[in-house]
Amino acid sequence: MSQVEKKAGLLRRTSSSKKPLKEKVVLMYDEIFAKEDPAKNNARFWDELFLMKVNLEYLESKLESVDGEEVQRIQDNINSLFHHCVQALGEEHQIKVVNALQTLCALFRGVHQKNKSASGFDIINMLMGFDKAEQRMKDLMERLDSLLCGDGSESLKSLCLKLLLCLVTVTDNISQNTILEYVMINSIFEAILQILSDVSSRGQHGYDAVVLLALLVNYRKYESVNPYIVKLSIVDDEPTLDVSMLSLSVQYKDKEEENQGGFFSTLTSMVGSMFIADADEKLSVQTNEAILLALYEAVHLNRNFITVLAQSHPEIDIPTTPTTPTPTTPTTPLGTTPPSLDMMNNPELPLDPNLQTSNLLITFLKYASIVMQDTKDEHRLNSARLCLIILTCIAEDQYADAFLHDDNMNFRVNLHRMPMRHRKKAVDKNIPSRPLVCAVLDLMVEFIVTHMMKDFPMDLYLRCVQIIHKLLCYQKKCRIRLHYTWRELWSALINLLKFLLSNETTLLAKHNIFHLALLVVNLFNMFITYGDTFLPTSNSYDELYYEIVRMHQVFDNLYCMVLRVSTNTGQWKEAASKVTHALVNVRAIINHFNPKIESYAAVNHISQLSEEQVLEVVRSNYDTLTLKLQDGLDQFERYSEQPKEAAFFKELVRSISLNVRKNVSLNTLSQDVLLKEFSTIS
């Protein structure tokens, strides 16, 4: 018995000497894979086929087993099967629709599995006939659109989305999936939006719909005009702009927000559902690259979405009843796990005993603070990078910056801090209420101080420092005097320089550490040159000089290192030379104040000056300090996905696509359940 026959369903075994009888549907599949037209001797063949329970395994294996010559021989029958599947989607008999959807999934998967090396045109030809493909796909997309937008069964809608996800992910690289050209021409964007706008369908299909949209947006996005990108960029989802992420997390449980919905609000709820609490109240997350990608596309492509990030909303009477903790061990591959709808067990600290305020950005920052703790795993590294790219887009947006820095909009944000030996576990529950930019800066500082390790994540460090720079540029431009503990940032940056110096040889084997050093030094130059426009008080400016002088050894060592490299011929000569020039004002400060401090100590016979005494010396010697004006410190290169980030997103989409394909199993909608659901329909 062949492998294919072994997989066939059995009706009964008459005796040990006789072959098992095949299911009728399997016999009908065999007729399709014969040369003759299966309807030639049975006019009702196709009607009967779609009343039969689909044997997915057998059909897929049959498609995979045919060789080159057989493909030519049975192509007309395969084309006919595809055509009749599409026609069956318009039937009133729901069992026929279910079986047609599942058969189409088997067709897409089986043909692609067999023809991995074939061109997209050959696959299209085998499935539907190249001359008829345009009309066949138009009919298919119209019928799927009708099913998704109609008042029919939620199970059918779910199956339609599974079919679309199956179609989108049959190739490792979605941009090589030629069939998707027809999905571009016959857009289902409005159908996806309708699903996400309806509170009932959103709860059941929101995850699949958002992931599908994120993947479609990434189809040949750099090569041609993608209609899903165009349509996403102009969505003006006004009715949902006032729906906060936390209220949406609650509404899945108690339906408080039934009158509001839409793409933006769905996405906020998805991001808001990525937390998992365990019994010890430690938070961990299952990284969800697909939802993060969708969030990125919304932030990057649509300025209206920034308003959703920034909207704050009061939450009255947050339930205090403890919920059953969700296990932190992933049960499916990272990056594909649909978020649980009741994971948000840790609401933000209340501003008032009966009232708390939150927004998507707070939850996103909290999520990022967890994801960014551990970047050793590839999925978490990708998620951390994506979080930082999203923050980069936010830091460049004028509306978002205005909200982040608004002193009248204060929030308490409990970021998660990595346990470290040299610092005590944070137990401070009295988190101050501050503008949200403080939480963004805290997150950047936290990353900087916790990832100085052998496997140095250079790319993430560069992004962190650039985000800080963009925020400082906004503060300088708008003369915003932010009350922030700048000393923590300065200390983190100096320790980063110290780490680069200590590990010069190891790091230079993999990275251009001079580029990062230049960015860090220029942050200090921003404070030195423009600090009087955005530091909160004159004391802050004094403390900056104090910190530079106190840690002068680090800057001295950095100067010696870059001078040595820049005066030798080598790969890093030019990069090191830039740091040498950038250090001019830092060195001027050190060389100006150090002798003054030493003189003060000698005159007053003090072996070790207090901080206040050093500050006094600084304050009284500003007049004689000469600094050079450096150009371009408050300028930055705006984020651009193409070409710098194209390779990252290409690999990310490939990873998401592979994982979605692995997990899009039609068994999630059990055939038995579906058939039982529609068995009463005649």
Side-chain angles (χ1 to χ4, degrees):
M1 191 186 297
S2 71
Q3 184 65 27
V4 170
E5 287 175 326
K6 286 180 184 176
K7 291 181 178 180
L10 305 181
L11 293 179
R12 61 189 174 85
R13 189 183 294 274
T14 53
S15 74
S16 58
S17 61
K18 293 183 180 180
K19 286 185 177 181
L21 298 177
K22 289 183 178 180
E23 296 175 271
K24 184 175 180 182
V25 73
V26 168
L27 293 170
M28 296 181 83
Y29 291 154
D30 287 344
E31 287 188 59
I32 293 170
F33 284 87
K35 188 175 181 180
E36 294 293 325
D37 176 1
K40 185 177 180 180
N41 299 317
N42 178 5
R44 289 185 49 78
F45 179 87
W46 298 111
D47 281 333
E48 291 175 9
L49 178 67
F50 294 113
L51 287 171
M52 303 284 170
K53 180 181 175 181
V54 179
N55 189 321
L56 291 165
E57 195 174 17
Y58 185 85
L59 182 54
E60 281 187 50
S61 62
K62 260 291 196 186
L63 286 162
E64 290 174 35
S65 67
V66 293
D67 60 26
E69 289 183 10
E70 281 183 291
V71 170
Q72 299 296 323
R73 185 168 53 82
I74 63 167
Q75 182 175 310
D76 288 345
N77 287 354
I78 299 296
N79 291 174
S80 190
L81 174 58
F82 187 94
H83 170 59
H84 284 94
C85 280
V86 174
Q87 288 207 314
L89 296 183
E91 293 272 3
E92 288 186 18
H93 202 309
Q94 300 290 279
I95 285 180
K96 286 187 175 181
V97 179
V98 170
N99 288 330
L101 286 167
Q102 299 199 60
T103 303
L104 282 167
C105 277
L107 272 171
F108 284 128
R109 288 202 296 228
V111 170
H112 277 88
Q113 195 63 30
K114 169 65 184 174
N115 297 278
K116 282 186 175 179
S117 59
S119 74
F121 300 112
D122 290 337
I123 287 172
I124 290 169
N125 201 34
M126 182 179 177
L127 273 172
M128 54 197 107
F130 200 71
D131 56 333
K132 297 174 184 174
E134 192 170 330
Q135 186 60 48
R136 295 280 184 268
M137 285 302 297
K138 183 175 185 289
D139 293 342
L140 172 61
M141 298 308 293
E142 284 178 354
R143 290 202 161 102
L144 290 176
D145 186 274
S146 178
L147 287 167
L148 289 171
C149 296
D151 297 326
S153 160
E154 296 302 327
S155 299
L156 278 183
K157 290 183 181 181
S158 185
L159 201 50
C160 287
L161 289 169
K162 299 290 183 196
L163 170 61
L164 286 163
L165 283 170
C166 169
L167 170 58
V168 171
T169 60
V170 283
T171 54
D172 292 354
N173 180 351
I174 65 169
S175 293
Q176 292 176 352
N177 186 351
T178 313
I179 296 178
L180 291 187
E181 284 296 328
Y182 301 111
V183 183
M184 296 294 120
I185 296 167
N186 305 286
S187 171
I188 51 161
F189 182 85
E190 286 74 16
I192 294 173
L193 220 60
Q194 183 173 317
I195 286 171
L196 298 177
S197 299
D198 178 75
V199 67
S200 175
S201 64
R202 182 170 68 243
Q204 297 183 63
H205 314 302
Y207 181 81
D208 282 348
V210 167
V211 172
L212 176 63
L213 183 58
L215 290 171
L216 288 172
V217 162
N218 280 277
Y219 173 74
R220 295 186 180 173
K221 67 193 304 189
Y222 309 123
E223 302 159 36
S224 58
V225 177
N226 180 321
Y228 292 86
I229 290 178
V230 175
K231 291 181 179 184
L232 178 57
S233 68
I234 58 175
V235 170
D236 187 10
D237 201 9
E238 290 298 337
T240 67
L241 297 186
D242 61 344
V243 182
S244 76
M245 177 277 312
L246 284 178
S247 67
L248 277 157
S249 295
V250 173
Q251 68 105 20
Y252 279 113
K253 291 178 276 185
D254 60 22
K255 306 293 181 188
E256 284 180 354
E257 302 288 341
E258 287 192 358
N259 296 324
Q260 306 189 29
F263 169 66
F264 291 158
S265 60
T266 300
L267 194 50
T268 60
S269 69
M270 295 288 179
V271 177
S273 300
M274 290 195 277
F275 292 93
I276 300 174
D278 66 21
D280 296 323
E281 294 185 353
K282 296 173 186 174
L283 280 182
S284 91
V285 291
Q286 295 175 354
T287 62
N288 203 308
E289 294 159 1
I291 294 300
L292 271 183
L293 177 64
L295 177 62
Y296 161 75
E297 296 294 359
V299 169
H300 180 230
L301 295 174
N302 192 313
R303 190 178 181 278
N304 293 322
F305 190 70
I306 295 291
T307 62
V308 178
L309 286 169
Q311 293 299 322
S312 62
H313 303 271
E315 306 278 347
I316 310 293
D317 297 326
I318 292 294
T320 55
T321 309
T323 54
T324 306
T326 308
T328 57
T329 306
T331 54
T332 55
L334 292 168
T336 60
T337 314
S340 165
L341 299 178
D342 59 353
M343 292 178 183
M344 285 298 294
N345 298 327
N346 290 279
E348 295 305 315
L349 296 173
L351 301 176
D352 172 292
N354 301 311
L355 177 69
Q356 70 175 11
T357 306
S358 191
N359 59 32
L360 172 60
L361 194 49
I362 289 175
T363 297
F364 173 68
L365 291 172
K366 184 184 261 189
Y367 172 74
S369 73
I370 303 166
V371 168
M372 287 161 59
Q373 285 183 8
D374 178 13
T375 57
K376 292 174 185 174
D377 171 83
E378 182 187 356
H379 290 286
R380 289 184 181 275
L381 180 65
N382 285 341
S383 291
R385 183 176 289 127
L386 204 41
C387 285
L388 288 170
I389 291 175
I390 291 168
L391 282 171
T392 299
C393 294
I394 291 168
E396 287 184 7
D397 185 88
Q398 291 286 337
Y399 181 90
D401 278 329
F403 174 76
L404 287 173
H405 291 85
D406 190 343
D407 204 34
N408 296 312
M409 300 291 289
N410 294 333
F411 301 89
R412 292 185 175 126
V413 185
N414 186 14
L415 296 177
H416 295 273
R417 290 159 62 86
M418 187 184 291
M420 297 183 75
R421 280 179 293 180
H422 66 272
R423 70 179 182 189
K424 292 180 181 178
K425 184 180 177 182
V427 291
D428 182 18
K429 296 295 181 184
N430 299 313
I431 297 171
S433 183
R434 304 174 297 172
L436 268 181
V437 68
C438 296
V440 179
L441 290 168
D442 283 348
L443 181 61
M444 299 301 98
V445 170
E446 176 67 12
F447 181 85
I448 289 169
V449 299
T450 55
H451 289 77
M452 298 179 208
M453 52 195 179
K454 188 177 179 181
D455 192 10
F456 189 69
M458 173 63 81
D459 175 68
L460 303 190
Y461 268 97
L462 290 170
R463 295 180 194 276
C464 273
V465 175
Q466 287 166 341
I467 289 167
I468 294 167
H469 180 232
K470 288 171 183 182
L471 293 173
L472 291 182
C473 288
Y474 180 81
Q475 290 166 26
K476 179 259 176 184
K477 176 186 171 185
C478 299
R479 304 180 90 79
I480 293 170
R481 297 188 182 279
L482 185 68
H483 289 274
Y484 181 71
T485 49
W486 292 112
R487 256 186 158 168
E488 289 186 9
L489 172 61
W490 300 331
S491 175
L493 294 172
I494 291 170
N495 283 326
L496 175 56
L497 291 176
K498 192 174 179 181
F499 175 81
L500 296 180
L501 286 164
S502 302
N503 298 274
E504 175 194 350
T505 307
T506 308
L507 292 174
L508 273 178
K510 296 180 180 179
H511 309 291
N512 176 4
I513 62 172
F514 301 106
H515 181 41
L516 179 57
L518 178 65
L519 294 177
V520 171
V521 171
N522 277 338
L523 280 185
F524 280 101
N525 285 330
M526 273 286 289
F527 284 103
I528 293 166
T529 308
Y530 301 118
D532 60 328
T533 66
F534 63 81
L535 285 172
T537 64
S538 58
N539 282 345
S540 304
Y541 207 65
D542 302 337
E543 287 170 0
L544 168 67
Y545 280 60
Y546 170 81
E547 208 61 32
I548 291 172
V549 172
R550 185 176 75 86
M551 300 300 290
H552 71 89
Q553 196 65 57
V554 174
F555 292 106
D556 291 343
N557 291 343
L558 176 63
Y559 181 73
C560 290
M561 190 257 276
V562 294
L563 189 63
R564 165 173 48 83
V565 175
S566 64
T567 52
N568 293 327
T569 53
Q571 167 182 14
W572 308 114
K573 179 181 174 71
E574 187 180 345
S577 181
K578 289 180 182 178
V579 184
T580 308
H581 293 120
L583 280 165
V584 61
N585 282 341
V586 173
R587 295 191 70 243
I589 290 168
I590 293 168
N591 293 335
H592 176 74
F593 286 108
N594 258 356
K596 301 275 194 283
I597 292 167
E598 289 169 7
S599 173
Y600 180 90
V603 168
N604 292 281
H605 308 291
I606 304 170
S607 59
Q608 191 168 356
L609 299 183
S610 67
E611 180 177 333
E612 192 49 51
Q613 288 169 324
V614 173
L615 285 170
E616 184 55 42
V617 175
V618 169
R619 290 187 192 106
S620 56
N621 286 282
Y622 276 130
D623 293 346
T624 52
L625 174 63
T626 303
L627 298 175
K628 289 186 178 179
L629 187 62
Q630 293 177 305
D631 295 327
L633 292 174
D634 59 344
Q635 304 297 314
F636 59 82
E637 183 182 353
R638 293 192 66 82
Y639 171 78
S640 174
E641 183 181 315
Q642 170 77 343
K644 288 187 177 180
E645 311 292 349
F648 166 68
F649 280 103
K650 184 179 177 182
E651 285 307 308
L652 181 70
V653 171
R654 180 190 291 268
S655 170
I656 291 170
S657 181
L658 288 170
N659 283 328
V660 169
R661 183 168 76 207
K662 209 180 296 180
N663 288 278
V664 171
S665 167
L666 293 172
N667 294 331
T668 47
L669 279 174
S670 162
Q671 286 177 298
D672 292 333
V673 173
L674 285 165
L675 294 174
K676 185 178 179 181
E677 179 180 344
F678 300 119
S679 61
T680 56
I681 303 172
S682 58

